[in-house]
Amino acid sequence: MKIIRINLHPLREKKEQKTFTVLKKYFPYVFAAFFCLAGINIVLFIFTGFYRLPHKKLKKEWQSLTPQVKEILSLKEEVDALNKEKTEYKSLFKKDILISRIFADIQSALPKNIWFEQIKIEKGEINFVGYVVKLNEDYLVSLDRFIKELKKKKYFTGIFPRGNINLKTTRKAKVSGVRVVKFEIGCDRK
């Protein structure tokens, strides 16, 4: 026997059938997508589990090495403190410069025809500004002899190495009607 259907509302049946057919048509795809996403989620969970194992291992190793790291850092601080103390001791034992010995060496090397107008002593440097008069020899010969004599003095050259005693400038001048040469000699500790 056949069932007869009478549709009193013809538009409603078409709407329900359309919705039902769309669901029916796409349900396998939605179901497959759900299983794919679930599978991807499981695979990612497994990978993260594998990546956690090395992290846990490294964390345990870090914790086991932490006391050694602290010991090394404390030793480094101790070495730094000892180096600082060493530099302090070195500064205590540095040779003091006796200015009177320097002046004694300068005076013993000074010829009779040279006199100083000014002696400047600044951070590791001495500059002589003075005059030389011609007396039995040329002006520059007297200056050269003075510099050579200074270079022979042991204490002076210990403070100012031999290569660092230089004639900086010379120029002719007249003092009280006498011809002289004004000069500047620089001695550097560097």
Side-chain angles (χ1 to χ4, degrees):
M1 257 196 156
K2 282 190 173 183
I3 298 176
I4 299 173
R5 283 182 148 190
I6 299 173
N7 187 3
L8 297 175
H9 197 320
L11 294 175
R12 186 171 186 201
E13 186 177 317
K14 285 182 182 176
K15 262 190 181 176
E16 284 177 3
Q17 282 180 351
K18 259 188 178 177
T19 308
F20 186 67
T21 55
V22 168
L23 280 176
K24 215 187 220 185
K25 183 178 179 182
Y26 291 113
F27 181 72
Y29 299 118
V30 171
F31 190 69
F34 174 74
F35 276 114
C36 285
L37 288 176
I40 290 172
N41 194 11
I42 290 170
V43 169
L44 288 176
F45 180 74
I46 291 170
F47 278 133
T48 56
F50 283 128
Y51 282 118
R52 279 187 189 171
L53 291 176
H55 178 70
K56 286 181 182 179
K57 182 181 175 186
L58 290 174
K59 191 173 183 180
K60 284 180 185 178
E61 191 175 334
W62 176 262
Q63 288 174 350
S64 69
L65 293 176
T66 300
Q68 292 174 352
V69 169
K70 287 181 182 178
E71 186 178 335
I72 288 171
L73 290 175
S74 68
L75 287 174
K76 184 179 182 244
E77 289 174 1
E78 189 176 337
V79 166
D80 289 341
L82 289 173
N83 281 334
K84 186 177 180 184
E85 193 174 329
K86 177 183 165 186
T87 57
E88 288 175 8
Y89 283 130
K90 278 187 175 181
S91 68
L92 289 176
F93 291 113
K94 276 188 179 173
K95 180 170 78 170
D96 287 336
I97 299 172
L98 299 174
I99 198 73
S100 61
R101 294 257 334 250
I102 292 174
F103 283 149
D105 284 350
I106 292 169
Q107 191 273 331
S108 66
L110 194 64
K112 291 181 180 180
N113 61 336
I114 294 178
W115 71 95
F116 295 129
E117 177 183 51
Q118 189 177 47
I119 298 176
K120 297 178 195 173
I121 302 173
E122 299 172 345
K123 300 179 184 176
E125 189 175 320
I126 291 182
N127 288 318
F128 307 109
V129 177
Y131 297 94
V132 61
V133 68
K134 190 172 186 177
L135 182 68
N136 300 331
E137 60 188 5
D138 191 42
Y139 307 101
L140 296 179
V141 172
S142 294
L143 283 173
D144 185 52
R145 189 164 41 100
F146 171 62
I147 292 172
K148 284 180 182 175
E149 287 295 318
L150 269 182
K151 288 181 180 182
K152 290 179 184 176
K153 303 296 180 183
K154 287 182 182 178
Y155 188 79
F156 192 85
T157 55
I159 305 297
F160 303 99
R162 294 173 193 259
N164 295 336
I165 303 171
N166 298 314
L167 180 63
K168 290 184 175 182
T169 61
T170 58
R171 76 168 186 247
K172 290 185 179 183
K174 271 194 174 186
V175 175
S176 300
V178 178
R179 294 182 121 192
V180 294
V181 171
K182 186 174 184 177
F183 65 90
E184 183 176 354
I185 296 174
C187 305
D188 192 4
R189 290 186 72 181
K190 296 177 186 171

